[in-house]
Amino acid sequence: MVPHLITALTGPINELEQRILESMPAIERWFRLEWMEHTPPFYTSVDVRNAGFKLAPVDTNLYPGGFNNLTDAMLPLAVQAAMAAIEKICPEAKNLLLIPEKHTRNTFYLANVATLVRIFHQAGLNVRLGTLDETITAPTPLTLADGSTLVVEPLIRKSGRLMLKDFDPCTILLNNDLSGGIPNILKNLEQQYLLPPLHAGWAVRRKSQHFAAYEEVAKKFAKLLGMDPWLLNPMYEQCGSVDFAEGTGIECVQSHADALLTKIRRKYKDYGINEKPFVIVKADNGTYGMGIMTVRDAKELDALNRRTKNKMSVVKDGQQVNEVIIQEGVPTYERVNGGVAEPVVYMVDRYVVGGFYRVHADRGIDENLNAPGASFVPLAFAEPASLARPGQKPGASAPNRFYMYGVVARLAMLAASYELERTDPNAEEREGVPA
């Protein structure tokens, strides 16, 4: 399946696909050398946008949900990657404690948790679920949409270790992005591996730090291929001390939006792109598609209505927005079943394990698709997305298109590894320098 693209089969993206396919040995060697120097996040999902003239990641999630949207044909890849990841971290691992989000009534999310349990069980681990919800004081069954159940259990902290009753794990996997802050029960664990690390959570992490690292990665990669890094990199600006509810700090957002729109127009003129540029203003931390708006003219920020202010003021877990990233908008010209679509690529360790299309029939090409009403169409093809077919015409082959998406997603994952290294509060201790 190759999704329908409005853009013609000639143009920058097809030239980029051709260049990527021709450079595949050099690209894979480059990634291999990077992974010798840097540790990939344990698992990652990346939202990619294909504008026909530009292909770029617009969001990188280090606590991905949605594993239930991968096809069964992709699960063996995820199991193999999980085996490789666990082997590196704790080769003798027998027990894995998985800590999901607290919103246990969301059956779609529970299906994701069930898929993760299945993946790690098939990777040879005993998997049990612990919850940060302090109202759960005994093993509690949760019913999924298909009638199956998951059991979540209260966490026990004992002598610097986190466990469940009669279950002492070597490895703890968070599928909770810590938007509401870092609970004390997770701090200062001894002789246990907590994945991802606490500073990967939204209590600490910032999108602007990620895209600063991505800009660096994109420049290195573009130099390897002899191309303009803008074709892969969304430009951005950042504003702190913003309060949409009170209307303070908006002038910073407005001036940066105006400057960014000017830069985009200049690039569009250079490439002969006849499009109206836009920027996306979103919370610098947080997920779930909250705190996001499209701005096509900086003057739009002069008179935000109450509903927009309220939407932009709070993200997940009621966290107030006071920092925003203003990101170059990348339109998506992909269509699946007539709806606007964007690919979401999933990785475990450094391996692409699959993905799906996020489709929204009621959203435009310049809007956020991660919103109520979105549907998910698995990437369905016989062979893994990571294997390309050199020699085929650009745009004609699903494996080639998805190989290209996998390359861009891995660039974002590599940027996340740079980002986590730079924000690691224990980095100096690890290098033998007193903190």
Side-chain angles (χ1 to χ4, degrees), residues 204-223:
V204 177
R205 190 176 178 229
R206 295 293 178 268
K207 292 172 187 174
S208 52
Q209 292 172 334
H210 173 74
F211 282 101
Y214 182 80
E215 185 174 11
E216 183 181 336
V217 168
K219 284 178 180 174
K220 285 185 183 179
F221 184 78
K223 187 177 180 182

Side-chain angles (χ1 to χ4, degrees), residues 375-388:
S375 59
F376 306 96
V377 178
L379 301 182
F381 44 84
E383 299 146 85
S386 52
L387 296 180

Side-chain angles (χ1 to χ4, degrees), residues 112-293:
N112 157 71
V113 175
T115 303
L116 284 170
V117 170
R118 181 179 167 195
I119 288 168
F120 289 103
H121 178 73
Q122 291 184 0
L125 295 165
N126 301 315
V127 186
R128 282 166 63 177
L129 305 178
T131 180
L132 291 167
D133 187 344
E134 293 174 355
T135 64
I136 293 179
T137 57
T140 303
L142 304 171
T143 304
L144 279 69
D146 64 3
S148 62
T149 58
L150 291 170
V151 176
V152 294
E153 303 177 60
L155 295 167
I156 300 168
R157 179 70 184 254
K158 192 182 290 184
S159 303
R161 291 182 74 83
L162 194 61
M163 57 188 72
L164 306 177
K165 187 181 178 184
D166 303 321
F167 190 78
D168 188 356
C170 147
T171 306
I172 300 156
L173 180 61
L174 286 175
N175 198 240
N176 181 313
D177 63 22
L178 307 178
S179 290
I182 300 172
N184 287 331
I185 199 169
L186 297 179
K187 295 177 181 176
N188 304 313
L189 296 176
E190 296 174 7
Q191 298 179 328
Q192 282 180 307
Y193 296 95
L194 180 66
L195 305 165
L198 292 177
H199 64 284
W202 286 122
V204 177
R205 190 176 178 229
R206 295 293 178 268
K207 292 172 187 174
S208 52
Q209 292 172 334
H210 173 74
F211 282 101
Y214 182 80
E215 185 174 11
E216 183 181 336
V217 168
K219 284 178 180 174
K220 285 185 183 179
F221 184 78
K223 187 177 180 182
L224 176 75
L225 265 64
M227 56 177 280
D228 181 355
W230 177 76
L231 294 172
L232 298 167
N233 181 37
M235 297 183 288
Y236 76 96
E237 299 286 351
Q238 193 263 357
C239 282
S241 304
V242 177
D243 188 327
F244 284 96
E246 295 295 324
T248 58
I250 306 296
E251 62 281 353
C252 174
V253 182
Q254 194 168 29
S255 63
H256 280 319
D258 195 40
L260 199 51
L261 285 165
T262 301
K263 285 182 186 176
I264 300 167
R265 283 189 204 98
R266 199 173 296 133
K267 276 292 186 183
Y268 281 12
K269 186 177 179 184
D270 290 346
Y271 280 91
I273 296 163
N274 187 24
E275 296 283 343
K276 184 172 175 61
F278 64 99
V279 296
I280 300 292
V281 179
K282 53 188 174 183
D284 205 8
N285 63 325
T287 182
Y288 284 93
M290 300 174 76
I292 298 177
M293 67 176 169

Side-chain angles (χ1 to χ4, degrees), residues 3-5 50 332-336 339-343 357 401 405:
H4 175 57
L5 276 173
N50 184 352
T332 176
Y333 284 100
E334 307 236 22
R335 293 287 184 279
V336 173
V340 176
E342 65 187 7
Y357 273 94
R401 169 76 45 81
Y405 292 163

Side-chain angles (χ1 to χ4, degrees), residues 1-3 69-74 334 336 342-346 352-358 376-386 398 401-403 405-406:
M1 175 197 75
V2 177
N69 293 315
L70 306 184
T71 63
D72 281 350
M74 289 292 166
E334 307 236 22
V336 173
E342 65 187 7
V344 185
V345 179
Y346 275 63
V352 174
V353 299
F356 54 82
Y357 273 94
R358 183 184 286 120
F376 306 96
V377 178
L379 301 182
F381 44 84
E383 299 146 85
S386 52
R401 169 76 45 81
F402 297 130
Y403 175 75
Y405 292 163

